[in-house]
Amino acid sequence: MIETVYLSIVIAPLLGALIAGLLHRQVGRRGAQWAALLGVGLSCVLSFYVLYRFVFLDQPDFNGNVYTWMAVDGYGFYVGFLVDHLTALMIAVVTFVSLMVHIYTIAYMADDPGYQRFFSYIALFTFSMLMLVMANNFLQLFFGWEAVGLVSYLLIGFWYKRPTAIAANLKAFIVNRVGDFGFLLGIAAVLAYFGTLSYAEVFAGAPIVAGETMEIIPGRPSGVITVICLLLFVGAMAKSAQIPLHVWLPDSMEGPTPISALIHAATMVTAGIFMVARMSPLFEFSETARVVVLVIGAMTASFMGLVGIVQNDIKRVIAYSTISQLGYMTVALGASAYAGAIFHLVTHAFFKALLFLAAGSVIIALHHEQDMRKMGGLRKLMPVTYWTFLIGALALIGFPGLSGYFSKDAIIEAAHLSNQHYSNAVYWTILSSVFVTALYTFRMVFMTFHGEPRMDDKILSHVRESPAVITVPLLMLAILSVIVGAIVAGPLLFERWFGDSIFVLAQNDVLTQMGLGWHGPLAFVLHAIRNPAFYFMLAGVFTAWVFYIWKPELPGVIAKRLSLFYRILVNKYGFDELYQNVIVRGSVGLGRFAWRYGDQALIDDGLVNGAARVVKQASASVRRIQTGYLFQYAFAMILGLVALLSVFVVWQVYGV
C-alpha cells in the first residue's frame, strides 16, 4: 500500500506533464492546465499524507527498488526509493511550492501562446526533483540531477525568441555541465571504491573507506572520502549557485516569474543543499571537505549579498538574495549542522517563493516592468501584494518570530560554535551579511512600494490588485512564512527528528550544544535582544530607510565617492567578464588554432591532400619510364638481371 503511494507521488506529475505536452492539441489549454495541476495536486496531497505518517504515526523508513534497469558484471542499476524523515519533509515542500506556482501560473501565463508547453515543463520539473529527492542510489540521483538541469534549460529559455533568454539558458546549461563533470567523477569514485551505488551500502562502508588514500598527484596521497566529497560538492556548487559557479542563476530571471519562483524555492538550487545533507555519512569523515564547504558558503553569502545592493531589476535583487541565502545553508553544511541547512531550506522555500510571486504580481500590474526605478507608491494600490511581500521581506532578513529568524539565527550560532578551521572568520562574515541582507531587501521594499510613483500616468492609471488566483497563493505562502519556523524549529534542530536520515559525529554536533539552551520558540524570540544579528538587521533596515525614503539623494553621492567599489559590484566582481574573456574566447581561440594548424594544415594539407600529392608525384615519375619502346624495357630487364647476379656472386664469395 505505502509503496504504491510513494510511486504515485512521482508518477502523478509525470503523467500531467505528458498529457499537457504530448496531447496539448487534443486537450486544449484548459485540459493541459488541469492535467498538470491535478497531477501535482495529487502528488502534494500524497506527500503530506506521507509526512503526516512520519510525524504522528512513526512510519518506518522505506528503502527498496521498484525497477531493475540493468545488471552488468555483478553490478545492479536500479530505480528505487529511500523514504525517510528527510525525504518526507523535502517532498512535502517541493510539491506544495510547486502546486502554488501551478495555481499562480493560470493567471500569470494566461495570454502566453506557450501556455500548455509551460504547464508541461513545470510539471516535468516537479517530477525530476521528486526523482532526485526520493532516490536510494547514486544512479537515480544523477538521473534526477540531470533532469532538473535539462528542464531548467527549457524553462529559462521558454521565451526562445528573445536572444537574452537563449543566452541565459545556454549559460545555465554550460555552467551546470562544469559542475556535473565533477559530480559524475565523484559517483565514479564511489563505484570504484565501494563497489556499489546503493546509498545504504555506501554509507555503511564509509568508516572503512575513510582510512584509504589515493594519489591524484604522484607522491601526494589524498583521502578517498575527501576526494569523493569534494567532487560531489563541485556538482552542488553549480546546482546551488556557489562561488565561482553561481553566474547562471541571476540570468535565469529571463524565464517567466513562476519558474523563477520554482527554481529558487523548491527545485534546482535546493538540490545541491539536499545532496550534501543526504551525503552527511560521507562528509562527516572528511574535515577538509567540510572546511571547503564552510568557506565557500561564507564567501557566497557575503559577496553575493553585496551585489544585490546595486541591482535595479526587482527579480535580480531576489535572485542575488537566493544565492546569498544558499550560502548560509552551505555554511550550515560545512559546520555539520545539516539539519539547520535543511531547516533554512524549508523556511526559505516559503518566503522566497512568496517574494518571487509577489514580485510577479507587481510586474503584471506594471505591464511587465521590472526596473524598480520605475516603480514606487504601490503600497495603497496593491495592498495584498504589499503586505505579503513585506512578510516575505521580514522573514528573509530574520525578523524575530518569523520563520527566517529561527533558521538563519540557528545557522549563525552553529558557525559560532563550530570547531572547524576558519569558523570564527566565517561567523563574523555571515553575521555582517545580516546587515547587507536587510539593506538590499528593504531597499527593494521602499523603492517598489513606498515614496512617490515613478511610472508614467498611463501605466499608473491601470495599476490594480491582482486577481484571487494570484493573491491566494501569496496569502498561503505568507501564512507559512510566519508560522513554520516556530512550529518546526524544536523538532528539526534540537530533537533529532531526522533520526538516521542525517549522520553527525559526536565531536561535530553543534546543534546538540545549541539545544542545551533551547527553551521553546518564545524564549528563542526573546533571546533576540541579546543577539548581535538582531542589531545588524535593524541597522540594515534603518540604513535603507535613510537612503531611499529620508535622503534618497545619498546613494548617488556615495556611489560617486566610492566609484571603484560601486563599479566592482555593478560588474559583479568581473566573473562574467573573466569567463567570457578567458574561458569563452580562450576556447574559441583554441578551436581556431586547432582548426587552422590541426584540421587544415596537418589533416587536410598534410595527411589527406599530402597523401594525394605524394601519389600524384610518384605517378608522374613512374609515368616517365612507361614509354612503350621495347628496347628500353629490355635494357631495364638486363640491368635488373645484372643487379641480381651481383648480389648472388657477393653472397657466394663472402657469405653475406
Side-chain angles (χ1 to χ4, degrees):
M1 169 62 182
I2 195 65
E3 291 87 348
T4 304
V5 172
Y6 298 150
L7 189 61
S8 299
I9 290 172
V10 172
I11 295 298
L14 177 61
L15 290 177
L18 293 175
I19 293 171
L22 300 180
L23 303 177
H24 62 278
R25 293 181 180 176
Q26 289 82 355
V27 300
R29 288 170 62 91
R30 289 183 63 83
Q33 163 197 307
W34 282 106
L37 196 62
L38 291 175
V40 174
L42 175 61
S43 183
C44 182
V45 170
L46 294 177
S47 296
F48 273 92
Y49 170 69
V50 170
L51 182 61
Y52 167 80
R53 291 179 64 91
F54 273 96
V55 173
F56 297 106
L57 303 180
D58 294 325
Q59 172 72 33
D61 296 348
F62 173 83
N63 183 13
N65 298 320
V66 297
Y67 176 73
T68 301
W69 182 44
M70 66 177 181
V72 179
D73 196 23
Y75 294 105
F77 302 95
Y78 307 99
V79 175
F81 299 139
L82 170 59
V83 184
D84 52 15
H85 287 76
L86 177 58
T87 307
L89 181 63
M90 285 296 298
I91 61 176
V93 172
V94 170
T95 55
F96 178 78
V97 173
S98 180
L99 180 61
M100 295 299 100
V101 170
H102 276 67
I103 296 171
Y104 180 93
T105 298
I106 295 172
Y108 193 91
M109 301 294 288
D111 299 324
D112 196 285
Y115 190 75
Q116 295 107 304
R117 180 164 55 94
F118 189 81
F119 270 103
S120 176
Y121 286 171
I122 57 176
L124 188 61
F125 208 4
T126 306
F127 159 76
S128 302
M129 188 65 184
L130 289 171
M131 284 291 285
L132 185 157
V133 168
M134 297 178 69
N136 73 342
N137 63 82
F138 283 89
L139 182 66
Q140 186 176 328
L141 172 69
F142 187 70
F143 167 80
W145 195 267
E146 292 302 302
V148 294
L150 171 63
V151 183
S152 69
Y153 166 82
L154 297 173
L155 284 163
I156 294 168
F158 181 79
W159 287 318
Y160 55 85
K161 293 184 179 180
R162 298 182 182 179
T164 53
I166 297 303
N169 72 352
L170 281 174
K171 188 175 184 180
F173 193 80
I174 292 170
V175 171
N176 275 277
R177 295 294 71 71
V178 174
D180 292 350
F181 179 70
F183 189 64
L184 189 56
L185 286 176
I187 293 176
V190 167
L191 183 60
Y193 282 91
F194 288 89
T196 179
L197 293 177
S198 168
Y199 287 169
E201 295 177 29
V202 170
F203 296 161
I208 300 172
V209 177
E212 297 186 24
T213 61
M214 65 168 70
E215 289 190 8
I216 300 175
I217 302 173
R220 298 285 299 274
S222 302
V224 169
I225 295 290
T226 296
V227 172
I228 289 173
C229 289
L230 290 176
L231 288 171
L232 293 176
F233 183 62
V234 170
M237 287 170 64
K239 273 289 185 290
S240 294
Q242 299 297 289
I243 288 176
L245 300 180
H246 66 283
V247 292
W248 68 271
L249 191 56
D251 289 353
S252 70
M253 298 302 96
E254 291 294 335
T257 298
I259 196 52
S260 299
L262 197 54
I263 287 176
H264 287 246
T267 56
M268 192 70 171
V269 299
T270 63
I273 305 300
F274 166 80
M275 184 274 292
V276 176
R278 174 61 83 194
M279 299 300 139
S280 59
L282 298 180
F283 278 83
E284 280 300 288
F285 289 102
S286 175
E287 183 178 0
T288 301
R290 284 184 283 113
V291 169
V292 171
V293 172
L294 187 74
V295 172
I296 291 292
M299 291 172 60
T300 304
S302 177
F303 293 164
M304 293 301 106
L306 289 170
V307 177
I309 297 174
V310 300
Q311 299 298 308
N312 293 311
D313 184 317
I314 187 171
K315 287 175 64 176
R316 283 185 177 266
V317 176
I318 304 174
Y320 278 102
S321 164
T322 297
I323 301 175
S324 181
Q325 296 305 304
L326 289 166
Y328 276 90
M329 299 177 208
T330 305
V331 166
L333 296 171
S336 294
Y338 305 98
I342 297 299
F343 181 31
H344 196 50
L345 184 156
V346 172
T347 61
H348 178 265
F350 296 131
F351 64 69
K352 188 51 59 71
L354 172 59
L355 286 172
F356 265 115
L357 298 185
S361 178
V362 171
I363 292 168
I364 292 174
L366 299 182
H367 299 276
H368 294 278
E369 178 59 66
Q370 296 181 196
D371 192 333
M372 296 187 299
R373 293 170 296 186
K374 299 178 182 179
M375 298 180 185
L378 297 177
R379 178 169 57 92
K380 294 181 180 179
L381 298 173
M382 305 181 70
V384 176
T385 299
Y386 168 71
W387 286 107
T388 53
F389 192 95
L390 182 62
I391 289 172
L394 290 170
L396 171 61
I397 67 173
F399 190 83
L402 275 69
S403 59
Y405 166 76
F406 293 95
S407 57
K408 183 182 286 188
D409 271 35
I411 292 173
I412 294 171
E413 188 63 21
H416 193 204
L417 295 175
S418 175
N419 57 9
Q420 292 279 51
H421 295 294
Y422 312 112
S423 59
N424 193 51
V426 166
Y427 167 70
W428 285 104
T429 299
I430 62 173
L431 189 61
S432 62
S433 297
V434 173
F435 169 82
V436 176
T437 301
L439 175 56
Y440 69 67
T441 301
F442 271 81
R443 171 181 179 264
M444 177 172 58
V445 171
F446 293 142
M447 290 183 70
T448 304
F449 294 99
H450 292 260
E452 295 298 322
R454 294 182 295 277
M455 68 287 292
D456 61 53
D457 293 337
K458 182 178 180 181
I459 293 178
L460 183 61
S461 63
H462 290 89
V463 174
R464 54 183 52 85
E465 186 59 86
S466 298
V469 73
I470 287 179
T471 56
V472 168
L474 295 183
L475 290 169
M476 295 183 69
L477 288 168
I479 292 171
L480 290 172
S481 297
V482 173
I483 67 173
V484 162
I487 294 174
V488 304
L492 261 58
L493 292 177
F494 311 121
E495 298 172 15
R496 293 191 56 81
W497 184 79
F498 287 112
D500 295 333
S501 304
I502 290 174
F503 173 78
V504 183
L505 293 173
Q507 63 268 28
N508 300 329
D509 196 354
V510 293
L511 291 180
T512 296
Q513 298 179 53
M514 292 171 56
L516 298 176
W518 171 255
H519 302 292
L522 180 59
F524 196 82
V525 172
L526 296 176
H527 176 72
I529 60 173
R530 299 197 303 271
N531 192 334
F534 175 68
Y535 298 100
F536 276 86
M537 179 266 295
L538 290 181
V541 175
F542 177 75
T543 303
W545 177 80
V546 171
F547 283 4
Y548 298 99
I549 298 295
W550 185 35
K551 297 285 185 180
E553 70 277 4
L554 278 179
V557 174
I558 294 175
K560 288 181 180 179
R561 292 185 177 179
L562 301 176
S563 58
L564 176 61
F565 183 58
Y566 178 75
R567 286 198 304 272
I568 290 173
L569 294 182
V570 169
N571 292 328
K572 297 160 286 187
Y573 306 107
F575 278 104
D576 287 324
E577 289 77 8
L578 175 66
Y579 294 157
Q580 184 69 29
N581 294 328
V582 176
I583 298 178
V584 176
R585 292 183 181 175
S587 299
V588 171
L590 180 62
R592 286 175 177 168
F593 176 84
W595 166 73
R596 176 67 184 88
Y597 296 101
D599 192 39
Q600 280 196 330
L602 178 61
I603 298 175
D604 289 346
D605 295 341
L607 298 178
V608 179
N609 295 333
R613 282 194 299 270
V614 170
V615 172
K616 181 180 179 180
Q617 292 169 1
S619 300
S621 300
V622 172
R623 188 167 61 245
R624 292 191 184 99
I625 66 174
Q626 299 296 321
T627 63
Y629 293 112
L630 185 60
F631 70 88
Q632 290 182 347
Y633 297 157
F635 180 69
M637 292 172 64
I638 292 171
L639 289 177
L641 182 60
V642 170
L644 286 173
L645 288 173
S646 300
V647 171
F648 179 74
V649 170
V650 171
W651 179 66
Q652 288 294 329
V653 174
Y654 297 102
V656 178

